[in-house]
Amino acid sequence: MRSSCRHHPLLVLVLLCACVALIARPAVAEGDSGGTGVPGPSGSSARVAALYEAAAAATQQYELGRSEAEAQRAEAQRLQKLLVREREQIEALHEDLGRIARARYREGGGLPYTVQLLLADSPEELMRGHRVVSQANLAADKAVSRSRRAEARLAAGEKQAAAEWRRLEWRNAELAGTRRAIEKKLEEARWMLQGQADASAAAGACPGATRLDQPPTGSRRAWVAPVERYVLSAGFGSGGARWANRHTGQDFAVPIGTPVRAVGAGRVVRVSCGGAFGIQIVVRHTDGYYTQYAHLASLAVDQGERVAPGQWIGQAGTTGNSTGPHLHFEVRITPELGSGIDPVPWLLKHGVEL
């Protein structure tokens, strides 16, 4: 599932400045302890969340800029084709003028006026011939003049379109560089966060909740997917060496630090660390079902809290019995392992298609 939003091109400068500010921030964040210069769990979580959002915004701006550049390049190519056609028309007009000139010469147009008058059958015939030739010349001259003006306009438009395309390409290169710098910082912050999460899971001691600066949830739907962007991996009931029996939930392959959302309104009934699920959260929903979010890298809620649909309750990771970053999501009829049902049709019943 994806969400989309549009950014006005004038926000590019603001985005670049914000991204530079994020990149330039020192490693120490709120939640640090002891003045060691190494972020504590709270500081790492908040930094990953901020960089995650900045990377998404930078990617969106880059894709928008690339689309604009492609459109501008297509416009330049369209103008080039129009210019070619105009030049072909001018060449045809030049050929017409040549034929008119040759016809006039053959018909005596190259003779002095006095000689033409003497050779003509009558003055009226001579005048009619002159009028026909003059009108033809005038029409051809006007057509050539119009075509040349059009050629000049098209050439100017082509030049402007090419210049605009080059400007957009330059801006895209800047945006791409900013995006790469953010993603590098994000990757470093993710693995720092994961290292701290692994230490907490190994000790069986959950870190305190990090109150992430998250988007408002009041206007969202009653039920949502547990992560916004994902690749579905191991499904409910699948077998393999990683599980003692069958897989008890649905896995969402996502990077470390991806915000994990409560799928619906409810209350956090369990927060625990250690064991096969690593750092995990269990939420009881208003319809009596429970959902579990496991292998987390950080927590954004405490046990006993109420949560709203779409609220960030933690960040994905790879703690516990996990072979890579992902969210293990379960739907249960009790808070305990072993009471799980297939999450995919359950979510679909609530209007969430994975």
Side-chain angles (χ1 to χ4, degrees):
M1 304 286 288
R2 289 178 178 270
S3 68
S4 61
C5 61
R6 299 179 61 185
H7 296 271
H8 194 280
L10 292 177
L11 293 177
V12 172
L13 181 59
V14 176
L15 174 67
L16 290 172
C17 292
C19 293
V20 170
L22 276 170
I23 296 168
R25 283 170 52 185
V28 179
E30 290 185 7
D32 293 357
S33 61
T36 62
V38 178
S42 177
S44 294
S45 298
R47 181 165 174 76
V48 168
L51 286 168
Y52 181 90
E53 291 300 298
T59 298
Q60 196 164 38
Q61 283 293 336
Y62 172 75
E63 292 300 325
L64 177 63
R66 190 175 67 172
S67 297
E68 290 176 356
E70 288 299 324
Q72 197 64 53
R73 179 157 47 190
E75 176 65 10
Q77 291 171 346
R78 185 187 71 83
L79 290 171
Q80 178 64 35
K81 290 178 181 178
L82 287 175
L83 189 57
V84 168
R85 286 201 294 270
E86 287 290 337
R87 286 171 177 159
E88 290 173 350
Q89 291 174 5
I90 290 172
E91 288 297 325
L93 286 171
H94 287 169
E95 291 179 5
D96 289 342
L97 284 176
R99 283 194 294 271
I100 291 171
R102 289 192 296 272
R104 286 189 62 197
Y105 182 80
R106 286 194 301 268
E107 294 170 2
L111 297 174
Y113 184 76
T114 304
V115 176
Q116 293 181 39
L117 184 60
L118 291 173
L119 295 176
D121 292 336
S122 68
E124 290 78 9
E125 180 186 350
L126 178 63
M127 295 306 296
R128 280 197 302 273
H130 270 290
R131 281 197 298 273
V132 170
V133 172
S134 296
Q135 288 171 358
N137 284 344
L138 181 61
D141 288 344
K142 286 182 177 179
V144 169
S145 179
R146 285 196 302 270
S147 295
R148 284 176 177 167
R149 288 197 298 271
E151 181 180 9
R153 288 195 303 271
L154 286 170
E158 180 189 30
K159 183 178 180 180
Q160 180 180 357
E164 181 68 11
W165 174 71
R166 287 192 297 270
R167 185 187 69 79
L168 287 169
E169 286 287 284
W170 175 81
R171 191 189 75 178
N172 285 351
E174 276 200 330
L175 286 172
T178 301
R179 184 184 64 172
R180 286 193 298 271
I182 293 174
E183 288 175 346
K184 182 180 178 182
K185 292 286 185 182
L186 177 57
E187 189 66 12
E188 294 171 356
R190 279 171 172 162
W191 286 109
M192 180 176 290
L193 176 63
Q194 183 61 46
Q196 294 164 348
D198 288 339
S200 297
C206 289
T210 300
R211 304 302 172 179
L212 300 174
D213 184 14
Q214 57 185 300
T217 59
S219 61
R220 297 193 176 185
R221 296 181 302 166
W223 298 92
V224 299
V227 285
E228 192 172 10
R229 296 177 178 85
Y230 53 82
V231 174
L232 293 176
S233 50
F236 180 81
S238 56
R242 287 175 291 172
W243 309 293
N245 296 299
R246 292 284 178 176
H247 193 232
T248 55
Q250 174 64 59
D251 286 352
F252 297 78
V254 291
I256 294 169
T258 299
V260 173
R261 310 184 295 185
V263 297
R267 182 187 293 275
V268 179
V269 296
R270 178 176 299 165
V271 173
S272 62
C273 299
F277 287 120
I279 299 175
Q280 64 164 324
I281 295 170
V282 177
V283 175
R284 185 183 190 279
H285 297 284
T286 53
D287 61 358
Y289 284 89
Y290 296 80
T291 53
Q292 179 208 29
Y293 312 79
H295 305 307
L296 301 178
S298 77
L299 301 166
V301 291
D302 289 317
Q303 190 164 312
E305 282 190 41
R306 289 194 175 276
V307 293
Q311 179 180 336
W312 291 355
I313 59 175
Q315 290 169 288
T318 183
T319 54
N321 183 18
S322 172
T323 58
H326 72 285
L327 170 69
H328 174 84
F329 175 75
E330 288 192 20
V331 176
R332 300 171 176 174
I333 58 175
T334 75
E336 305 303 327
L337 177 65
S339 63
I341 62 173
D342 192 342
V344 176
W346 184 84
L347 284 172
L348 185 60
K349 185 177 67 174
H350 290 84
V352 181
E353 184 176 0
L354 299 178

